[in-house]
Amino acid sequence: MLKLPQELIKEILSYLNARDYMRCIVTCKRIHVLKLPFQCLFGMQDVERALRHQDEDACLSMMQSPLFDYDHIFITNTIQLPVLQFALQFRVPFFIEQLLRHPKCDPTWNNHVAIVISAAFQPDHLEMLLRDPKVNPAAQEQRALRVSCQEGISQSVALLLDDPRVRHICGPMDGLELASMHGHDAVVELLLGHPSVYLDAYDLKRAFDAAWHKRQATILSLLFLDWRFLPNDTESEDHALLTG
């Protein structure tokens, strides 16, 4: 454990209290305390405030600090998140772009959760993530695609389906069934027409049942009119209602 003279501790604390971060950094460098936590210099309140209020100058100045921790920042006393995931959740476009361009930023943290968050909440930055060779968009059994289908983010669904590493895995609670259940007709139409998505009558029947239970009329019509759909697989009452 590192022990510092009392006078030096007081000097560093005085700089922190005055928010004179540059002088604090210089002092830490002088005594070779290069592992002083980023939180000690800026504090979680400063990071959160900068992200919440879209303070570009504050965010960029933090990134320029030699002590900036790209792997972890404190969210609470017990939970830590990488700054990229934190920025994605707060939806700070300019900061996300800066982070993705920085070599120290790891977009693969926690089994590629960043691309899942981006697909669901930040589709504008999904393309940038997909260009990173370290990122695996098919991680966690195509979770990014399933989440974007469930949330109805057609822009994310289209980008993911166009990526050769991603494929729609058919089965219970797949992308088509989730989109049908939640009434996302644009996503359903995209999945039905995309050349990379292989669907058979059973897949459409499962999606049809999900849409039927939620009374998603537009999606029921889309599925019923698809050439792969077999009317005999539906209940006679359902068929009568759709055919008039």
Side-chain angles (χ1 to χ4, degrees):
M1 183 176 178
L2 182 65
K3 292 184 178 180
L4 300 176
Q6 192 70 24
E7 296 77 15
L8 198 53
I9 293 174
K10 287 182 179 179
E11 181 183 352
I12 293 173
L13 287 174
S14 68
Y15 295 146
L16 289 173
N17 289 332
R19 293 179 176 266
D20 190 346
Y21 301 129
M22 289 311 300
R23 199 173 280 186
C24 182
I25 291 171
V26 171
T27 304
C28 291
K29 277 188 170 183
R30 176 165 53 84
I31 61 174
H32 304 292
V33 187
L34 299 179
K35 294 296 183 182
L36 188 69
F38 169 69
Q39 294 85 352
C40 291
L41 293 180
F42 294 104
M44 191 55 236
Q45 295 81 6
D46 296 318
V47 179
E48 187 171 343
R49 189 181 301 111
L51 292 173
R52 282 189 185 277
H53 295 284
Q54 310 279 314
D55 189 337
E56 185 170 355
D57 291 337
C59 289
L60 295 181
S61 66
M62 289 176 185
M63 288 183 66
Q64 290 165 5
S65 166
L67 300 175
F68 190 91
D69 186 354
Y70 284 86
D71 294 325
H72 298 93
I73 56 175
F74 285 103
I75 303 300
T76 68
N77 291 332
T78 57
I79 302 173
Q80 295 185 24
L81 289 176
V83 69
L84 175 61
Q85 182 174 339
F86 198 53
L88 282 167
Q89 289 179 334
F90 277 107
R91 307 187 185 191
V92 190
F94 66 86
F95 197 35
I96 296 168
E97 292 169 9
Q98 293 289 335
L99 288 168
L100 290 175
R101 292 191 182 100
H102 202 286
K104 287 185 178 180
C105 182
D106 181 14
T108 69
W109 183 85
N110 196 16
N111 201 2
H112 301 268
V113 71
I115 198 163
V116 177
I117 296 172
S118 180
F121 304 111
Q122 286 286 336
D124 292 340
H125 294 96
L126 181 59
E127 193 170 0
M128 188 179 294
L129 272 170
L130 290 172
R131 286 199 298 267
D132 191 319
K134 300 188 296 295
V135 171
N136 177 16
Q140 302 183 56
E141 298 182 343
Q142 317 285 339
R143 186 182 173 196
L145 179 61
R146 286 187 287 110
V147 168
S148 55
C149 288
Q150 178 176 321
E151 298 298 323
I153 314 298
S154 54
Q155 180 183 346
S156 295
V157 174
L159 284 169
L160 289 166
L161 289 177
D162 287 339
D163 191 297
R165 296 167 292 178
V166 176
R167 64 188 182 90
H168 179 270
I169 299 177
C170 297
M173 302 305 289
D174 60 15
L176 180 63
E177 184 175 350
L178 288 168
S180 301
M181 181 188 304
H182 293 282
H184 303 309
D185 49 286
V187 172
V188 170
E189 197 166 7
L190 183 59
L191 290 168
L192 290 175
H194 201 280
S196 72
V197 179
Y198 174 78
L199 299 166
D200 59 23
Y202 295 103
D203 302 318
L204 268 68
K205 173 62 165 60
R206 193 170 50 251
F208 184 94
D209 289 342
W212 177 261
H213 288 299
K214 295 291 184 178
R215 297 297 189 262
Q216 305 291 358
T218 302
I219 291 173
L220 288 171
S221 297
L222 287 171
L223 293 167
F224 186 79
L225 294 173
D226 190 278
W227 64 273
R228 291 159 291 194
F229 186 79
L230 298 179
N232 291 336
D233 283 344
T234 66
E235 298 294 335
S236 57
E237 181 185 354
D238 301 354
H239 180 243
L241 286 171
L242 286 169
T243 56

